[in-house]
Every structure is written in C-alpha cells, then in structure tokens.
Amino acid sequence: MDFITRVAAPEAVKADCIAVGIYADGELTAQARSLDAAAKGALRAAVKSGDATGKKGSCAMLRQLPGVTVPRVLLVGLGKRQEYGDKAFLEAVAVAVKGAGTAVKELALAATDWAPAGRDSQWVARQLVLAAREAVFRADELKSSKDDAPSAVERVVLLLTGRDAAADQGLAQGNAIANGVELAKRLGNLPPNVCTPSFLAEEAKKLGRSHKLAVEVLERRKLEALKMGSFLSVAKGSAEPPKLIVMKYEGAKAKGAAPIVLVGKGITFDSGGISIKPSAAMDEMKFDMCGAASVFGALRAAAEMKLPLNLVGIVPACENLPSGSASKPGDIVTSMSGQTIEVLNTDAEGRLILCDALTYAERFKPAAVVDIATLTGACVVALGDVNSGLFSPDDALADELLAAAKNAVDWAWRLPVQEDYQEQLKSNFADMANIGLPGKAGAVIGACFLHRFAKAYPWAHLDIAGTAWKGGEKKGATGRPVPLLAQFLMQRAG
Ligand code: BES
Ligand code: MN
Ligand code: ZN
C-alpha cells in the first residue's frame, strides 16, 4: 500500500473514491461541506434519510453524485464530536480503508479535516499511514493459501487544500514506523520452532545489511568470558544456543555522541522452566520475545527516517525450558555485575537475562537506556492491554516517554520504582532473590530487580506483557511499543 499527498478540491480530485468525515450529529467536516455544495446537497440528503449516521465505526457509500468527478464518496462516521480524539481518528482511517469496498484501488482521504484537537498535518499524515497499514495487516506468511485482503486499496491519497511539506514528511515517517511495526509483528507471530535465538541473530544480520547497521552476535563462549552467569543460567535448559545480539545505528552529526540504548527481552519461548507454567495458552509464550522484536522495529524505523542520533540495540535471546541441565529453584547464579541472585522461581527469567544485558550496556556510555520486556503477568493485571507499564527513577526520562506514548497513541502509564519495595527481594543466601512476595506489586518488583543493574545511566523500563500481543480470536503481535519508541527517538533527534 502506498501513500501520497495531492492538492485538489474534493469534488475534482482524481481517485476511485473520496472519503470525507461526518460527525454523529450529522455535522459535515469542511471538505464534506464543499462536496455537498458541489453535489447540490447530496451529502446532507444522505444524512437526512438515515443512510449516513456519522456513528463511530460506520460508513456509507454514495455513487455518481452530480457535480463531482470522483465516482464514489464515502461518508465516514467520526462519532460524537465531544468524544472525538486521537484513537477515533485512527479508527476512522481504518473504517475508510476497509469500507472502500472491492473496486476502489485509489482512495483519497480528506483526513486533515479529521485532525483531532492539537494535531497538525504531519501527525495526521504519519498516523494515517500507521492506521491504514494496521487495518490491512495479515499474518499469513506460513499459510499455503493466503487470507483474503481486507481491502482492495493500493494507494491512499491524503487530500490537501495547499502544498504542505510537513504532510509529505509525515507520510514518510509513517511508512518508516509502519515498517518497524510490521517487522516486530512478523517476528512476534513466527512460531517458536522457527523464531529461535539463532533465527533472531540471522534476522539482525539481515537488518544490518539492508539498513546499514553494524551487527555483532555474541556466542556462548563470549558470554562465558563476559561472566554473564545470570543470562547463561536461563539458556542452559535448552539445546538452542543463546545469542547476545548487538545492533548499532550511527546517525549523529557528532561521531562519538552518546547513544540511546534499547534493550529487548528475547525469550523465544517461555515454558517457565522447572517452575513450569500451566499448559493453557502456553503457546502464547512464543510472544515472550516481543521486547526484542520492538528493538528490531525501532532500529529499522530510526534508520529509515535517518534520525540524527546514535542508537544501540541489545537483545539477549534464549529459550526458557525445563531439562536435566536447566536451572533449579534455589540455584544461585552470579551476574556479570558480580551481584549474586538466588533463583527462587525459574519462570522469573526475563529479569535474569536483562540484568546482564543492562550491565553490558554500560560500555556504550549511554545517554539513556530503555529496556522493553514482556516481564510480568502482574503488569497485565494492573494495566490490561491499554497501557504499557513505564518504570523509571528519572522523572525527566519518564516524562519524555509518556509524551511520546501520547503522541504515538501507544499508551504507557507510570508505575513506581521505589527503594521501599526492594526489601521484597532479600535473600538469605545471595545478594537478592529473583522474585518477591506472591500477589504483592509483581510488576514493580520486576522493575526494582532491574534497577539494581541500571545505576550507571538514566534508565527506564517498559513492561509490555499486556500490550505486545492480543490473545483469543485476534491472536497476534501488536507491534507495540514500536510507535512509542520511534516517537521517543524522533523527539531525542529534535
Ligand atoms: N513472560 C512472563 C510474563 C508474562 C506472563 C507475560 C503472562 C504475559 C503474560 C515472565 O517470564 C513470567 O513468567 N513472569 C512471572 C514472574 C513471577 C514468577 C514472579 C509471572 O508474571 O508470573
Ligand atoms: Mn517466565
Ligand atoms: Zn518470560
């Protein structure tokens, strides 16, 4: 699907269809009004007759209107004006793309008219691309006969009333970010027998070649030499070798500029290990590498936007499986930082691989480190699938990420990382345990554990356990939080 801007009057634009917005009370947006004037009241008549309601999620197709050169006019319901906002904008775009029918290849959208309060044309263009590509995404890579396309639209035209370079820029940003989102979804959706640590390492090398990233993959021997005893303890139950994937993007004007480091949890399958999980929906633990996938996606988006900053992606990747060589509850491991950890529950493995990656990150002298992980079921209990959990002891960094989340409509909600919780991690035998007390702030405890390894730089942690994928009938990776991360990087790049 490609995207362009075009300057034209709505009644004269060259396209197979034009989509204009109407609110639930029947109020027409500006371009709908000018179409209505050209078509001698045909749009208002459709509202009056009840053919078009303006209700959120609805649309009505009108054909061959007098005074209008484009053969179809799609009236897209924006819902109630008082309730209209960023999310409603995205939904309206999806409705337009899916509602265009089987004959529309080129769809013009009068979408600057639909801009939510405070959003400029660049935002509209960027989010338009993301919403449209989201609407038509399919995960049928491994199906022998492909799913039906949800839309025949091949080209989306953002209709403008005058030349607007910011809108063109927005389309380019939207395409870059959507490429990142789709990469994250694809990696997330692939089955765990295909998407292994070695597969992720190969994908990183491919991304390196196509997007000029320097990629290095550290093998078990190197991880041993680095004394990553915590990471290695998780990997040792599996026959699949662990990989530490390091990807570098250098876009900063000043060569040695301190990088942003993104660290992504790459558990390609989480059975729980010896502390094995119940079997219901265990297949969904293939999504336990969605943090890693979001790092791939964010790097891809940043590289395609040629952001002027330096960026490092670090992905510790392994499987968490039970076997004769697996970690046992009670084992004590020594992390790369030298701190010892009593593994009271082998299912709290994400923090065990991330802590060594966070220590490894120190060597890049980062401007900031953000880790992204499907870390805790407790975060799903706290925030559901709406907000990712955001944890940071650094107010400025937290505010930056929250602003990015809002702008990208990829929401996050801040939860505490507070010293007072640390006592839950006390161990009688090691520097810390890897779990706290059952039923007590599990998502916070996960963050507090990581904080012990992230003292050398400004740091934030995103728990995406509830947001990285959907279960049930719509099972699949969401690509979140790539939009949030991309927006954060754009803000950092200025
Ligand atoms: N990958 C899981 C977290 C998870 C669970 C994400 C369910 C999404 C849905 C993680 O490795 C895990 O198992 N965490 C444990 C931690 C506990 C043992 C302290 C959890 O949340 O139960
Ligand atoms: Mn686990
Ligand atoms: Zn896990």
Side-chain angles (χ1 to χ4, degrees):
M1 187 177 268
D2 53 71
F3 297 82
I4 57 166
T5 58
R6 193 169 280 167
V7 178
E11 61 275 15
V13 65
K14 206 183 120 303
D16 299 322
C17 176
I18 173 159
V20 292
I22 57 173
Y23 290 103
D25 58 4
E27 182 193 344
L28 306 184
T29 53
Q31 305 222 44
R33 280 199 301 277
S34 81
L35 262 183
D36 186 60
K40 303 201 167 50
L43 277 69
R44 281 189 207 284
V47 171
K48 203 163 172 226
S49 66
D51 288 317
T53 65
K55 276 198 187 141
K56 200 162 102 173
S58 75
C59 62
M61 186 74 94
L62 310 180
R63 281 162 224 281
Q64 313 291 355
L65 298 186
V68 176
T69 51
V70 53
R72 297 174 193 82
V73 173
L74 186 65
L75 302 181
V76 177
L78 304 181
K80 292 191 181 134
R81 201 196 236 289
Q82 321 81 269
E83 289 167 12
Y84 191 71
D86 295 345
K87 192 69 184 282
F89 172 86
L90 302 181
E91 284 166 11
V93 171
V95 165
V97 169
K98 289 188 189 151
T102 46
V104 173
K105 295 216 163 94
E106 197 175 55
L107 172 66
L109 292 175
T112 49
D113 261 13
W114 314 353
R119 299 303 186 194
D120 58 15
S121 63
Q122 187 171 81
W123 186 96
V124 164
R126 183 165 70 236
Q127 296 297 333
L128 165 75
V129 177
L130 283 157
R133 287 180 55 175
E134 175 79 42
V136 300
F137 179 83
R138 279 162 298 167
D140 54 8
E141 191 178 335
L142 299 178
K143 292 191 182 188
S144 12
S145 65
K146 304 301 173 197
D147 294 348
D148 287 342
S151 167
V153 174
E154 288 166 4
R155 166 176 282 177
V156 175
V157 179
L158 173 56
L159 187 62
L160 298 173
T161 50
R163 289 253 36 97
D164 180 356
D168 286 302
Q169 240 175 6
L171 292 183
Q173 292 166 341
N175 270 314
I177 300 167
N179 286 343
V181 167
E182 284 173 21
L183 173 59
K185 285 186 183 177
R186 172 173 172 263
L187 294 175
N189 288 332
L190 281 171
N193 60 331
V194 171
C195 186
T196 59
S198 304
F199 178 89
L200 282 180
E202 286 309 311
E203 286 290 308
K205 287 178 189 161
K206 270 194 213 159
L207 188 65
R209 286 192 290 273
S210 60
H211 287 73
K212 297 204 181 76
L213 310 176
V215 175
E216 194 188 351
V217 177
L218 280 61
E219 308 288 339
R220 194 193 303 268
R221 289 252 291 284
K222 189 75 206 282
L223 306 178
E224 283 164 1
L226 286 165
K227 299 199 156 80
M228 291 196 175
S230 187
F231 177 22
L232 287 165
S233 78
V234 177
K236 73 183 187 165
S238 164
E240 290 289 342
K243 308 278 171 179
L244 186 79
I245 302 164
V246 182
M247 300 171 274
K248 287 189 201 143
Y249 164 74
E250 285 193 14
K253 303 248 160 60
K255 240 203 149 215
I260 306 281
V261 177
L262 302 177
V263 178
K265 174 178 174 183
I267 295 289
T268 61
F269 190 75
D270 181 11
S271 71
I274 296 296
S275 313
I276 199 160
K277 289 181 181 294
S279 51
M282 205 205 265
D283 68 290
E284 292 185 15
M285 282 299 121
K286 73 173 183 177
F287 294 118
D288 214 17
M289 36 57 68
C290 283
S294 75
V295 173
F296 279 70
L299 271 154
R300 176 165 181 179
E304 289 187 10
M305 289 188 279
K306 300 194 166 64
L307 294 183
L309 48 71
N310 291 340
L311 190 56
V312 179
I314 305 178
V315 168
C318 69
E319 292 183 329
N320 185 23
L321 293 182
S323 77
S325 60
S327 268
K328 302 167 290 295
D331 282 1
I332 293 178
V333 300
T334 304
S335 65
M336 182 181 178
S337 72
Q339 299 176 87
T340 57
I341 305 161
E342 186 181 17
V343 181
L344 290 176
N345 189 319
T346 65
D347 199 10
E349 85 298 339
R351 60 200 74 182
L352 295 176
I353 70 169
L354 290 168
C355 68
D356 282 342
L358 288 170
T359 302
Y360 188 78
E362 288 177 15
R363 69 188 51 208
F364 300 110
K365 305 204 165 37
V369 176
V370 180
D371 78 70
I372 308 101
T374 49
L375 202 70
T376 65
C379 194
V380 192
V381 175
L383 299 174
D385 62 2
V386 177
N387 283 286
S388 299
L390 167 66
F391 303 81
S392 179
D394 185 319
D395 290 340
L397 180 57
D399 287 344
E400 264 184 276
L401 287 160
L402 288 173
K406 277 225 173 83
N407 187 297
V409 205
D410 182 4
W411 297 314
W413 199 269
R414 193 173 177 190
L415 292 168
V417 220
Q418 196 177 318
E419 283 310 304
D420 306 74
Y421 290 95
Q422 288 289 357
E423 65 178 305
Q424 274 199 49
L425 289 170
K426 270 195 189 136
S427 157
N428 287 355
F429 308 110
D431 296 342
M432 71 195 86
N434 77 329
I435 56 167
L437 300 168
K440 284 207 160 174
V444 176
I445 298 304
C448 286
F449 180 96
L450 296 176
H451 188 203
R452 294 179 182 227
F453 300 86
K455 303 282 188 188
Y457 38 67
W459 163 78
H461 158 62
L462 285 165
D463 193 332
I464 58 166
T467 53
W469 77 90
K470 290 190 180 108
E473 228 174 304
K474 289 189 173 157
K475 193 190 289 181
T478 60
R480 292 178 68 182
V482 172
L484 185 171
L485 295 171
Q487 182 63 33
F488 167 66
L489 296 172
M490 285 161 68
Q491 289 167 194
R492 276 279 167 146

